[in-house]
Amino acid sequence: MSNENRSSFTGKLGFVLAAAGSAVGLGNIWRFPYLAAEYGGGIFLLVYIILALTFGFALMTAEIAIGRKTGLSAIGAFNSLNKKFTFVGWLAAIVPVIILPYYSVIGGWVMKYLWAFMSGDAVATAGDGYFGGFIGATGEPLFWFFIFIAITALVVLFGVEKGIEKVSKIMMPILVVLTIIIAIYSICLPGALEGVKYYLLPDFSKFSVKTVLAAMGQLFYSMSLAMGIMITYGSYMKKDTNLESSVSQIEIFDTAIAFLAGLMIIPAAYAFSGGDVGKGPSLMFVALPQVFKQMPMGTFIGIAFFVLVLFAALTSSISLFETVVSIVCDKMKMGRKLACLIVFIFSLLLGALSSLGYGPLAEVTVIGMQFLDFFDFISNSVIMPIVALLTCIFVGYIIKPQAVISEVELNGEFKRKKLFTAIIKYVAPICIVLILISSVLSAFGIITL
Ligand code: TRP
């Protein structure tokens, strides 16, 4: 192989790994399984996969192409293509600002569990009410949240992301292998088979608009779409890297990890609680300690697992923090250090609300939701679908699909270009409008889905 070929190959691999590194995080391991459990198991999985192959494919292609074409991140990219659409870049930029604080609260939960396993409390974590007791308290969840966001801030402040990325490139494959091992163990637990069936076999009677909404929000969240991130990644992508196949690889990788996480958690949750799997955000933290308790060398495996998940979470939070800092730096014309401090303090305040929302502030709700659920709802079910919709309109009718198609065709044929055009122009905008309207109406209690 000539040198040229080699370097373009590493170019692609490097791009896919970097984008996948940002995409794979708590979204795959913590969020996907509990949503799948809550929204009907197999039917959720099916809807998710269909959406990934259609909406996910079209949006990711569009975002990466816009980034590569302009060489700019979201706000600048929209601005340079059409001034009137600069606001879409801004809207997209709000998403990481909302996600970062509550993402770090969950990151704190992972740290707490890692600590509990390391300090010999592994068995206690499997006890009834352990998780509820932990998040219901005031100081402890706040403490772990603080540590998590402080580490994130320090990494960004001292610019040592590269070091973390190197470590995580080794950790990620280990995480995949460990997840497979735990999933196999989980499936073999007595009573787990029902859970496997629930997760894999779609039950069409469980289908509803809510399933689609939840799956769509999860798709955007997990693949870091509709928030400007993939535009930024695209701006770093070389012109000779094959865009279409990179998109497929990132999607397959991200979905495979989410799928495995579901297989690890849902059957176990079934086995231990006889089908009561609608535990929401606590599902992973309740189900896994019970698996580790029974598994040979469970404490050790638990420690390894939480370390690996912590790394996946940190690479994502670092990339989120970094994104927010660069927006603050650019748009408010201030130095990086000051921007880091501002983002840190802001996240601390907003995250504290989410953390306390399960404890002392449990009575306080916004449109019927606790703070964490509210921030999650506003970003995943409102702003991201709006950004996605506007991106489709922008590509479909302003710059025209051909602009993206020619960018993709800089190297080779764009095999799914008809599918791309149909989704961007018609299917996605219509579906997103319908879903958005019904979700907002139902959040305000005007209709029930
Ligand atoms: N996709 C990440 C996950 O699955 C979470 C995430 C959302 C993210 N937005 C991001 C990560 C921006 C990095 C940058 O956990």
Side-chain angles (χ1 to χ4, degrees):
M1 203 190 276
S2 79
N3 255 347
E4 251 175 56
N5 278 339
R6 229 187 122 86
S7 71
S8 69
F9 174 66
T10 16
K12 179 171 174 202
L13 190 65
F15 176 79
V16 171
L17 279 179
S22 146
V24 175
L26 293 173
N28 308 62
I29 294 158
W30 156 76
R31 202 171 185 277
F32 181 87
Y34 89 72
L35 286 179
E38 201 166 312
Y39 291 96
I43 190 72
F44 181 90
L45 186 63
L46 182 67
V47 170
Y48 186 88
I49 292 174
I50 293 174
L51 285 178
L53 293 172
T54 54
F55 286 28
F57 147 74
L59 257 178
M60 194 182 290
T61 306
E63 290 196 17
I64 294 179
I66 289 175
R68 189 168 77 171
K69 194 177 165 68
T70 58
L72 298 166
S73 46
I75 301 174
F78 278 103
N79 185 44
S80 83
L81 292 170
N82 185 321
K83 288 226 162 3
K84 285 198 192 121
F85 276 74
T86 312
F87 78 97
V88 183
W90 278 103
L91 207 55
I94 297 176
V95 176
V97 177
I98 301 179
I99 293 184
L100 172 65
Y102 84 80
Y103 199 85
S104 305
V105 172
I106 317 290
W109 296 355
V110 173
M111 286 192 121
K112 152 78 186 178
Y113 270 64
L114 173 59
W115 177 252
F117 270 69
M118 286 186 353
S119 57
D121 267 351
V123 174
T125 60
D128 269 355
Y130 182 88
F131 182 75
F134 162 61
I135 60 166
T138 306
E140 224 197 335
L142 270 184
F143 169 78
W144 290 109
F145 156 62
F146 178 81
I147 302 282
F148 186 89
I149 187 89
I151 295 177
T152 305
L154 288 174
V155 169
V156 175
L157 182 64
F158 292 110
V160 291
E161 294 94 327
K162 286 279 164 303
I164 300 282
E165 264 165 35
K166 270 206 194 110
V167 181
S168 89
K169 264 180 203 155
I170 307 167
M171 301 281 236
M172 195 98 90
I174 309 180
L175 177 62
V176 176
V177 174
L178 193 63
T179 308
I180 295 174
I181 296 173
I182 303 172
I184 294 173
Y185 186 82
S186 228
I187 296 171
C188 298
L189 288 165
L193 201 62
E194 278 307 305
V196 177
K197 280 193 202 146
Y198 176 73
Y199 182 48
L200 296 184
L201 304 177
D203 172 354
F204 289 90
S205 69
K206 292 209 168 80
F207 180 85
S208 76
V209 180
K210 268 189 165 166
T211 317
V212 185
L213 176 68
M216 191 173 77
Q218 172 60 18
L219 178 76
F220 296 157
Y221 185 96
S222 183
M223 302 204 177
S224 312
L225 293 172
M227 54 179 97
I229 302 287
M230 284 298 158
I231 300 186
T232 308
Y233 272 97
S235 72
Y236 297 129
M237 186 192 218
K238 290 205 197 96
K239 291 276 184 195
D240 61 6
T241 300
N242 189 314
L243 207 155
E244 189 178 12
S245 67
S246 300
V247 167
S248 304
Q249 287 176 8
I250 300 166
E251 283 207 306
I252 291 172
F253 194 63
D254 191 78
T255 308
I257 296 196
F259 173 75
L260 281 173
L263 208 52
M264 162 175 80
I265 291 172
I266 296 174
Y270 239 85
F272 291 114
S273 62
D276 172 25
V277 290
K279 293 206 166 53
S282 58
L283 189 67
M284 169 177 121
F285 297 95
V286 173
L288 284 182
Q290 292 176 323
V291 179
F292 296 139
K293 188 176 155 191
Q294 298 217 341
M295 229 172 151
M297 299 204 306
T299 305
F300 173 75
I301 292 175
I303 291 175
F305 177 79
F306 285 114
V307 166
L308 296 163
V309 173
L310 182 60
F311 260 87
L314 275 173
T315 48
S316 290
S317 69
I318 289 163
S319 149
L320 280 162
F321 199 104
E322 179 77 58
T323 310
V324 182
V325 165
S326 66
I327 297 166
V328 174
C329 277
D330 286 1
K331 302 300 158 186
M332 301 190 187
K333 306 264 174 290
M334 62 174 68
R336 227 180 118 78
K337 285 210 174 97
L338 185 59
C340 279
L341 186 68
I342 291 179
V343 174
F344 177 63
I345 294 175
F346 172 83
S347 306
L348 219 49
L349 295 176
L350 218 58
L353 277 183
S354 293
S355 181
L356 294 172
Y358 286 103
L361 299 183
E363 299 301 311
V364 189
T365 56
V366 192
I367 48 169
M369 296 174 210
Q370 286 172 321
F371 285 110
L372 195 146
D373 293 328
F374 173 72
F375 290 130
D376 195 75
F377 172 80
I378 277 294
S379 49
N380 290 284
S381 305
V382 182
I383 307 181
M384 277 140 85
I386 293 177
V387 173
L389 173 65
L390 292 167
T391 308
C392 290
I393 294 174
F394 182 70
V395 173
Y397 301 93
I398 309 290
I399 61 169
K400 302 274 157 49
Q402 191 53 43
V404 167
I405 293 170
S406 350
E407 185 63 36
V408 177
E409 288 187 335
L410 283 182
N411 19 46
E413 184 198 0
F414 184 4
K415 295 193 199 79
R416 282 167 288 174
K417 89 179 152 199
K418 288 220 176 81
L419 178 69
F420 171 79
T421 311
I423 293 169
I424 283 282
K425 285 186 86 160
Y426 310 110
V427 184
I430 294 172
C431 293
I432 296 173
V433 167
L434 293 178
I435 290 171
L436 206 59
I437 295 175
S438 47
S439 87
V440 172
L441 291 183
S442 93
F444 285 98
I446 299 168
I447 55 168
T448 38
L449 291 178

